Amino acid sequence: MTQGLDARSGPGSSPVAQGTSTRGTPTRRRGQATTGDRVFGVIAHTVLTIWALLVVLPLIWTFYSSFKNSREILTSPFGLPETLGLDNFITAWQEAGIGRFFGNTVIVVGGALFLVMLLGSMCAYVLARYEFPGRRLIYYGMIAGLTFPLFLAVVPLFFVLQSMGLRNTYIGLILAYAGFALPFTVFFLYAFFRQLPEEIAESASIDGAGDFRTFFQVMAPMAAPGLASVTIFNFLGLWNQFLLPVVLNTDDSKFVLAQGLMNLQAQQGYQADWGAMFASVTITIAPVLIVYVIFQRQLQGGMGPSTDK
């Protein structure tokens, strides 16, 4: 009996002891991991808060400065405006020509966005769904376009558009903008079209749908989250484009907003109407903020394609 008790309390009891030890060790590890997570969370939130303040505070300062006159801005740059009015916005829109620059930007960005989404989605669909010689080479060539610095391409692009008679034209800027955004669009949409079920395309083909009808009526709607996300990304990038219009467009009647603001500042110098200048900047950044606020859910929801089959 004693030996039996000893046997049970000896080597036979080791699993119990080990189990207790095993249960205790992960408890300490979980505590250590929780402490580490908390420390990391505090550091991450602190950095993100500082970063958010660095981004948001200048925007707020620009916005309320757009309601102040030049005297208020120079004497009390961080003070609130004495009165609220739209005089600076009216001056910027009509006298400074921001309205014309805004219209030019809408034409160029709208045309480029339509072109790049149409061609980019079709190109990504073909590369993702069809097997043909050179498919990988074309795809990796598109990816290589993302690594090529834009400032190295503006000089050849300048001479190409000049030789085609498209410099200082809306069409030339639209083509340049579309070419700039095409590699990213193909890269982004490629993954979405790759994960779509092949059976659906086969069913559409059996029902008599051709390639174009299958793409526009079946496959493209299924990739709507990705299309919405890349459209927003392209809009943000094209609206804020500066280098391409400055190099490729010297006709002041076709200046976009970035060029218009730079030109106004150069013309007015130290005699600038700072209130109207801040109003012009507010008009420039307002569409980007509005688009992001409205479509942020689509942007976040379409960042990653679903892997569910």
Side-chain angles (χ1 to χ4, degrees):
M1 179 66 69
T2 304
Q3 294 177 353
L5 292 175
D6 291 339
R8 288 194 297 269
S9 62
S13 64
S14 60
V16 178
Q18 291 176 359
T20 304
S21 176
T22 304
R23 287 195 299 270
T25 302
T27 302
R28 291 195 297 271
R29 290 178 180 176
R30 284 198 297 270
Q32 294 174 357
T34 302
T35 303
D37 291 342
R38 289 176 180 175
V39 173
F40 177 78
V42 170
I43 296 175
H45 281 81
T46 302
V47 173
L48 291 175
T49 301
I50 296 174
W51 181 260
L53 292 175
L54 291 175
V55 174
V56 174
L57 290 180
L59 294 177
I60 297 175
W61 178 67
T62 301
F63 176 72
Y64 73 72
S65 296
S66 63
F67 295 95
K68 300 163 66 173
N69 54 40
S70 297
R71 178 186 59 81
E72 294 179 78
I73 293 174
L74 295 177
T75 57
S76 180
F78 299 106
L80 295 176
E82 297 176 358
T83 59
L84 294 178
L86 300 177
D87 295 340
N88 290 334
F89 291 91
I90 295 174
T91 301
W93 189 268
Q94 296 179 352
E95 298 181 12
I98 293 299
R100 174 164 52 87
F101 303 146
F102 189 92
N104 292 337
T105 306
V106 170
I107 293 173
V108 174
V109 173
L113 197 60
F114 171 79
L115 187 63
V116 74
M117 289 307 302
L118 177 64
L119 298 180
S121 60
M122 295 174 68
C123 180
Y125 175 74
V126 171
L127 293 176
R129 310 295 296 188
Y130 291 88
E131 295 286 346
F132 57 90
R135 179 176 67 92
R136 285 290 180 182
L137 182 62
I138 296 175
Y139 175 71
Y140 289 129
M142 289 286 182
I143 302 303
L146 293 173
T147 65
F148 194 77
L150 180 61
F151 64 88
L152 294 179
V154 291
V155 174
L157 188 59
F158 175 89
F159 289 108
V160 169
L161 293 181
Q162 187 175 32
S163 64
M164 298 174 63
L166 296 178
R167 195 170 68 85
N168 295 333
T169 63
Y170 289 129
I171 297 178
L173 282 178
I174 289 174
L175 292 177
Y177 275 38
F180 164 73
L182 187 62
F184 171 75
T185 304
V186 174
F187 169 75
F188 194 97
L189 294 177
Y190 179 85
F192 281 88
F193 287 118
R194 286 285 294 179
Q195 59 91 31
L196 295 180
E198 182 66 28
E199 294 79 6
I200 297 179
E202 294 177 354
S203 299
S205 177
I206 293 174
D207 291 339
D211 292 335
F212 282 94
R213 186 177 178 183
T214 300
F215 170 73
F216 285 106
Q217 295 187 2
V218 179
M219 307 304 284
M222 294 180 63
L227 292 172
S229 298
V230 76
T231 300
I232 297 170
F233 276 123
N234 282 333
F235 173 80
L236 299 179
L238 295 178
W239 185 272
N240 295 322
Q241 182 58 242
F242 178 75
L243 182 60
L244 286 177
V246 167
V247 174
L248 303 178
N249 180 36
T250 57
D251 185 357
D252 57 0
S253 65
K254 296 181 178 62
F255 276 0
V256 296
L257 281 170
Q259 287 178 285
L261 290 175
M262 184 183 67
N263 188 55
L264 288 175
Q265 186 177 8
Q267 289 180 351
Q268 295 179 2
Y270 291 103
Q271 302 298 323
D273 185 350
W274 295 107
M277 187 68 69
F278 277 105
S280 302
V281 175
T282 302
I283 294 173
T284 302
I285 64 179
V288 177
L289 294 178
I290 292 172
V291 168
Y292 179 77
V293 169
I294 294 176
F295 297 103
Q296 61 176 336
R297 290 186 179 273
Q298 289 83 347
L299 184 63
Q300 295 170 359
M303 282 301 296
S306 174
T307 57
D308 297 336
K309 296 297 182 181

